[in-house]
Amino acid sequence: MTHEERVRKEIIQSFGEAYKAFGLNKLMGYVVALLIYSPKPLSLDEITKQLGRSKGPVSQIVRRLRDRKLIRKVWEPENNRKDYYEIEPEIFENAFRNNLELIKNNTRIASYIKEKVPADEKVLAGRIDDMLHFYKLMEKHYRNFLAEWIEERNRLMLKSESKKRK
Amino acid sequence: MTHEERVRKEIIQSFGEAYKAFGLNKLMGYVVALLIYSPKPLSLDEITKQLGRSKGPVSQIVRRLRDRKLIRKVWEPENNRKDYYEIEPEIFENAFRNNLELIKNNTRIASYIKEKVPADEKVLAGRIDDMLHFYKLMEKHYRNFLAEWIEERNRLMLKSESKKRK
DNA sequence: AACAACGTTTGAAAAAAATCAAACGTAAAA
DNA sequence: TTTTACGTTTGATTTTTTTCAAACGTTGTT
């Protein structure tokens, strides 16, 4: 194995572990890493071959990745039969948005408890107030971050555009 | 089952599912919910009984929760043999800090790839730059959030202190 | 219309994770 | 010192998740 190949394998591996750490399937991370790595879209066959898995799970994982807007299907004129996939340009932003949904769910749980819990349960009520404050503030900062990121992304895009024009 | 009990069970359940959604063991969520609910510390026996599990897994889960600083052991004079646990006052902040570690890991991965990848691989290099920008900005906002939260917490604490004094 | 090349679905098999019961070690109580 | 009440560890068991191979349906190709 060349040095390049070893690095590539290692990186795919670490994406898998990172995805797992977030409670997702390792294979999702592998596919994502593969597509980040690949300058051109890959067919399902190519993905299965490169990862040494069979079609079944890859097909399902690809669907989940599409649902989460981490990868997308592209139309490749060269072969009309096959589906080709590439990384979603805003993959990280979209992954973050998926995470934001989990946070919103925490806020929902806190609201629900606050509503249901008798006000005379001082200790519990205090803790839930805390939780609610925390996740509301967190949501605020998440949105701030997204707004600032979108700005920064635009700046970065303009820069690389002007480079191309040279 | 009384209405209260039903609500309590439902909430414990939803904590379990929330924890699972974050890739953690359901049981962790159950224990956390139980301790948030309980105004006084609970012994391991009480936790196992209330959740209908055996001691083994509860013991392990409790250790993991302590490692993550989501619950803590307290010394209860009434029974010197038993260990008592209560919710960590900064549980949400600490859970968030644990999450921050995952984000830092993403940044690390991006840095590592950037370092290893030949600069002439334009597409890949561009994507990795994106990733690195994204997670660095994210870390920044995470820290902002923590700082603001700590301020807000202090404000909230002062308020409840003054209430007590009345 | 028949065939071929796909992706998806499905039921079984394998792998991983969670759980239990019992054995074990430890420290307080007798 | 002995006994007892606990928490932890361990190996087996159960449950859940992941994976595979094959059957299936669909759509482009001949």
Side-chain angles (χ1 to χ4, degrees):
Chain A
M1 211 192 317
T2 70
H3 175 67
E4 294 259 328
E5 282 168 346
R6 217 172 320 112
V7 169
R8 185 166 159 285
K9 204 157 204 170
E10 191 185 348
I11 288 167
I12 291 176
Q13 200 64 34
S14 55
F15 262 79
E17 272 152 35
Y19 269 70
K20 198 180 164 202
F22 279 100
L24 302 169
N25 193 316
K26 264 190 175 183
L27 189 50
M28 288 180 74
Y30 295 158
V31 172
V32 163
L34 208 58
L35 291 179
I36 286 180
Y37 236 95
S38 173
K40 61 181 208 323
L42 297 178
S43 71
L44 230 143
D45 272 350
E46 290 169 318
I47 296 171
T48 58
K49 197 194 298 173
Q50 296 216 35
L51 296 179
R53 303 294 167 94
S54 59
K55 289 191 304 178
V58 172
S59 169
Q60 290 181 357
I61 288 293
V62 158
R63 180 153 46 81
R64 286 173 63 187
L65 287 171
R66 286 219 295 159
D67 291 346
R68 290 168 176 270
K69 299 200 188 307
L70 306 186
I71 70 176
R72 66 185 182 188
K73 199 187 278 199
V74 290
W75 196 78
E76 285 283 293
E78 70 176 52
N79 188 336
N80 236 330
R81 293 268 189 104
K82 288 186 177 177
D83 293 345
Y84 284 82
Y85 296 96
E86 67 180 9
I87 205 74
E88 180 78 40
E90 274 93 35
I91 173 178
F92 305 110
E93 179 181 330
N94 292 342
F96 180 80
R97 286 183 193 277
N98 295 333
N99 216 258
L100 176 52
E101 292 305 313
L102 297 184
I103 299 303
K104 281 190 196 166
N105 190 43
N106 289 349
T107 316
R108 251 194 305 279
I109 291 174
S111 300
Y112 178 78
I113 303 177
K114 190 183 167 82
E115 179 188 297
K116 293 286 181 181
V117 148
D120 62 321
E121 297 236 22
K122 296 285 183 207
V123 181
L124 175 53
R127 287 171 183 166
I128 294 304
D129 270 344
D130 234 46
M131 179 172 173
L132 199 51
H133 273 115
F134 186 88
Y135 285 109
K136 277 189 174 167
L137 186 61
M138 189 164 166
E139 280 186 32
K140 195 186 98 186
H141 280 263
Y142 267 43
R143 288 182 221 285
N144 277 165
F145 164 54
L146 275 176
E148 195 179 328
W149 167 251
I150 287 166
E151 267 182 46
E152 178 154 339
R153 176 158 50 95
N154 290 342
R155 268 201 305 280
L156 291 170
M157 270 172 53
L158 284 175
K159 232 192 279 180
S160 64
E161 277 302 309
S162 70
K163 241 186 209 166
K164 265 191 203 158
R165 250 179 277 117
K166 277 180 197 169
Chain B
M1 214 192 315
T2 70
H3 175 66
E4 294 259 328
E5 281 168 344
R6 215 171 320 111
V7 169
R8 185 165 161 284
K9 204 156 205 171
E10 190 184 349
I11 288 167
I12 290 176
Q13 200 64 33
S14 54
F15 262 80
E17 272 152 36
Y19 269 69
K20 199 182 164 200
F22 278 100
L24 303 169
N25 192 316
K26 264 190 175 182
L27 190 50
M28 286 179 76
Y30 295 158
V31 172
V32 163
L34 208 58
L35 291 180
I36 286 180
Y37 235 95
S38 172
K40 61 181 207 322
L42 297 178
S43 71
L44 231 146
D45 273 349
E46 289 169 319
I47 295 172
T48 58
K49 197 193 298 172
Q50 295 217 35
L51 296 178
R53 303 292 167 95
S54 58
K55 288 191 303 176
V58 172
S59 169
Q60 291 181 357
I61 288 292
V62 157
R63 179 154 47 81
R64 288 174 60 188
L65 287 171
R66 286 217 295 160
D67 291 346
R68 290 168 176 270
K69 298 200 189 306
L70 306 186
I71 70 176
R72 66 186 182 186
K73 199 187 276 200
V74 289
W75 195 79
E76 285 282 293
E78 71 175 55
N79 188 337
N80 237 330
R81 295 268 191 104
K82 288 186 177 176
D83 292 345
Y84 283 83
Y85 295 96
E86 67 180 8
I87 204 76
E88 181 78 38
E90 274 93 36
I91 173 177
F92 304 110
E93 179 182 329
N94 293 342
F96 180 79
R97 286 182 193 276
N98 295 334
N99 217 258
L100 175 52
E101 291 307 312
L102 297 184
I103 299 303
K104 281 190 195 166
N105 190 44
N106 289 349
T107 316
R108 252 194 305 278
I109 291 174
S111 300
Y112 178 78
I113 302 177
K114 189 184 170 83
E115 178 188 300
K116 294 285 181 184
V117 147
D120 62 320
E121 297 235 24
K122 295 286 183 206
V123 181
L124 176 53
R127 286 171 184 166
I128 294 304
D129 270 343
D130 233 48
M131 180 172 172
L132 199 51
H133 273 115
F134 186 88
Y135 285 111
K136 276 189 176 166
L137 187 61
M138 191 165 166
E139 280 186 31
K140 194 187 100 186
H141 280 264
Y142 265 43
R143 289 182 221 284
N144 278 164
F145 164 54
L146 275 176
E148 195 179 327
W149 167 250
I150 287 165
E151 267 183 45
E152 178 154 339
R153 179 158 49 92
N154 289 342
R155 270 201 303 280
L156 291 170
M157 268 172 55
L158 283 176
K159 230 193 279 179
S160 64
E161 277 301 310
S162 71
K163 239 186 208 164
K164 264 190 201 157
R165 252 181 273 116
K166 275 178 196 168

